[in-house]
Amino acid sequence: DVIMPVRNGAAFIEEAIRSVMAQTDRDWRLIVLNHASTDATGDIIEQLRAGDSRIEHLSCDPGLTLSDVRNQGFDRSDAPFVMLHDADDVSEPDRMAASVEALERQPGLALIGSDYRIVSGDGAPIARRHLPTDPARIAVASIFSNPIPQPAVTMRMDDIRRLNASYGSTFLRPAGGPAPMHVATLVEDYLLFGQLAIERRCGSIARPLLRYRWHGGNQSSVKFEPQMILSHDVARHLVAILAAEHGSTWLDPIPFSNFGGRIEPFATDVDLGEAWQAMRDMIVRVFGDTPGVRRELAFRQVLATRSLPQMLARFAAFRLRHRPDGDEVATIRSFAAATIRRARR
């Protein structure tokens, strides 16, 4: 099953649906969840549905949250795999086949993502996003960012149901853990994927299977600041779950996080080395001293200072050993620009 929520998506939904129709794997059903659209979205869906009986068009109450709408898609699905799809993105023709094959080959995973290309509103290429593929590295990365892109995800539904996992709510509840968290929108995917990730149930395919459209109306652009605040809340929640599961000391991940390619602006020249060592020790104790874990920790150590010269020197050394992804480069550039702006005031 393919789950596609949409609200007033007339500009792009036809291309999104046609990219599903063009999949090399022909055994699918597309569930379009129309969340009270007031533009031509419904007419476009109906026109395409008339030509392909595998498309279902469901109307959702306008009072529902995005988490509610996405969960309605889960409830409706009866397939062994669910491929998530946003209404403004485009899947490559072999996305479905490659994702299902990866999950079948790795039975320990509940979720598989992929790299993706970022394109403009008119489809012009902007950049490629490289993402971690190793489940242990994804687990560590999820404490400090969201390395799993919502529209590139395919899930194994037996695992999701066995875990009682859903959008917008905590399903990992260890004894002595934090109170359950509930998120209506903005980071509902991060709360779900982050919990799967810290259980090492997430992987990714190292090639782009999706074109992610950046058009200025994306939630991550329009509501950037509220999304950052909620992302910090989820990151702290995930660490509190880990602390309860493993009997570790609760530590704050935010000084070493880079949500949205941005780090928290602590006082200039602050050295976070002592806090970093404690965080590193906890992570290695929980996730092991593996290559994937070491790779993620290497970048987090770059951020364990707020001295620009020191951070740049650490990042230069980091680049000699690792290929930075786009978010890592953007984080360093963002901090450098902010530091220079402060110095000029």
Side-chain angles (χ1 to χ4, degrees), residues 67 74 309:
S67 289
F74 279 2

Side-chain angles (χ1 to χ4, degrees), residues 12 15 90 117-126 211-214:
F12 304 115
E15 189 176 7
V90 177
R117 291 187 175 91
I118 303 171
V119 301
S120 65
D122 60 6
I126 297 174
R211 278 171 272 164
Y212 173 80
R213 199 185 303 271
W214 184 259

Side-chain angles (χ1 to χ4, degrees), residues 7-182:
R7 188 166 199 166
N8 293 334
F12 304 115
I13 191 167
E14 180 173 355
E15 189 176 7
I17 292 176
R18 289 196 181 279
S19 77
V20 176
M21 297 169 68
Q23 291 297 299
T24 57
D25 188 333
R26 309 301 297 164
D27 185 15
W28 52 262
R29 171 179 59 165
L30 171 60
I31 304 169
V32 185
L33 300 157
N34 189 351
H35 192 192
S37 294
T38 56
D39 63 1
T41 293
D43 293 336
I44 295 169
I45 298 167
E46 284 300 306
Q47 290 168 8
L48 294 169
R49 189 176 72 87
D52 196 322
S53 61
R54 295 171 296 178
I55 300 171
E56 290 190 4
H57 182 192
L58 303 181
S59 296
C60 300
D61 188 278
L64 296 178
T65 68
L66 183 54
S67 289
D68 294 333
V69 172
R70 294 194 190 280
N71 287 332
Q72 280 198 351
F74 279 2
D75 294 341
R76 179 71 176 175
S77 174
D78 59 6
F81 302 102
V82 157
M83 189 172 90
L84 307 180
H85 208 300
D86 283 356
D88 50 0
D89 297 329
V90 177
S91 286
E92 301 299 346
D94 66 335
R95 178 191 165 193
M96 186 180 296
S99 300
V100 169
E101 187 277 332
L103 285 170
E104 289 179 333
R105 181 167 37 83
Q106 302 172 85
L109 299 184
L111 177 156
I112 198 81
S114 75
D115 289 357
Y116 60 92
R117 291 187 175 91
I118 303 171
V119 301
S120 65
D122 60 6
I126 297 174
R128 172 176 168 172
R129 177 83 192 278
H130 297 276
L131 295 161
T133 59
D134 170 57
R137 185 186 164 198
I138 293 172
V140 176
S142 292
I143 299 171
F144 304 107
S145 64
N146 183 7
I148 302 170
Q150 156 79 35
V153 160
T154 299
M155 296 180 173
R156 191 193 316 273
M157 290 309 293
D158 280 353
D159 288 349
I160 299 303
R161 294 193 174 96
R162 188 179 306 114
L163 292 165
N164 198 29
S166 63
Y167 279 98
S169 297
T170 304
F171 62 86
L172 294 179
R173 300 188 181 183
M181 186 175 185
H182 300 282

Side-chain angles (χ1 to χ4, degrees), residues 246-268:
H246 298 276
S248 304
T249 303
W250 192 97
L251 297 168
D252 189 3
I254 302 310
F256 316 105
S257 70
N258 65 322
F259 294 98
R262 188 180 73 180
I263 58 178
E264 287 301 283
F266 296 103
T268 304

Side-chain angles (χ1 to χ4, degrees), residues 186-202:
L186 294 181
V187 295
E188 76 287 343
D189 58 331
Y190 178 34
L191 181 58
L192 172 58
F193 302 160
Q195 291 175 85
L196 293 171
I198 63 174
E199 296 296 298
R200 284 170 275 200
R201 305 297 303 276
C202 300

